[in-house]
Amino acid sequence: MLTDASRVTEQLLQREQSGDQMLPGTALALFHTRSPDVKRPSLSLYRLTRPLAMGTAPPSSLSRFLLMLAPRNLAKESLEVLSEISAMLLDEEMIESLEDGDEVSIRNYLTANLRAFFHTKTESE
């Protein structure tokens, strides 16, 4: 999936330095980047065994994070799907599912919302 993991890591760190990746009022963060070193889009949720103190203002604690990676050159339709997933992070039900839910409930939430997104997209075309 990655041709150069160290370069992707560096891009993620640079992005973190330029702005907070924490979702306000949560213990969640979204780390994301597009890179020529990423061969296919991916979305992963990581649960930390111990919360990590983040140097944010105000200070926050990170217990789970999403990692969204995508190739630099990605079709418009694929970018729209990734953007829709990012927009879901504004939804309280999605936040609750990510903070407290298990894999099945998170998958069910994403599946239902992406189905609705695709349905809306195909009706408007």
Side-chain angles (χ1 to χ4, degrees), residues 4 8-9 12 15-16 22 24-26 30 32 46 52 66 71 73 98 108 113 117 119 123-124:
D4 189 336
V8 173
T9 300
L12 289 164
R15 188 166 196 124
E16 170 61 21
M22 294 294 296
T26 73
L30 171 62
H32 56 100
Y46 294 90
L52 177 64
L66 287 165
N73 298 318
L98 291 172
N108 288 343
N113 282 276
F117 169 75
H119 182 72
E123 280 188 349
S124 66

Side-chain angles (χ1 to χ4, degrees), residues 1-57:
M1 177 167 108
L2 302 178
T3 57
D4 189 336
S6 63
R7 263 199 315 215
V8 173
T9 300
E10 182 61 33
Q11 289 174 306
L12 289 164
L13 291 171
Q14 286 174 355
R15 188 166 196 124
E16 170 61 21
Q17 291 174 357
S18 68
D20 186 10
Q21 306 301 308
M22 294 294 296
L23 301 177
T26 73
L28 297 167
L30 171 62
F31 298 102
H32 56 100
T33 193
R34 290 174 51 202
S35 170
D37 295 305
V38 176
K39 294 305 168 197
R40 64 181 173 85
S42 71
L43 178 67
S44 304
L45 175 65
Y46 294 90
R47 297 173 182 169
L48 304 177
T49 55
R50 287 184 310 231
L52 177 64
M54 299 297 286
T56 58

Side-chain angles (χ1 to χ4, degrees), residues 36-102:
D37 295 305
V38 176
K39 294 305 168 197
R40 64 181 173 85
S42 71
L43 178 67
S44 304
L45 175 65
Y46 294 90
R47 297 173 182 169
L48 304 177
T49 55
R50 287 184 310 231
L52 177 64
M54 299 297 286
T56 58
S60 57
S61 179
L62 177 66
S63 64
R64 296 179 183 197
F65 67 91
L66 287 165
L67 178 61
M68 184 184 292
L69 302 175
R72 167 64 56 205
N73 298 318
L74 196 59
K76 177 185 168 221
E77 296 81 8
S78 295
L79 286 173
E80 288 175 353
V81 171
L82 294 178
S83 179
E84 182 65 18
I85 292 169
S86 294
M88 286 180 207
L89 296 174
L90 301 174
D91 182 69
E92 190 173 318
E93 185 180 345
M94 174 69 157
I95 296 294
E96 288 174 6
S97 188
L98 291 172
E99 286 185 319
D100 304 321
D102 59 10

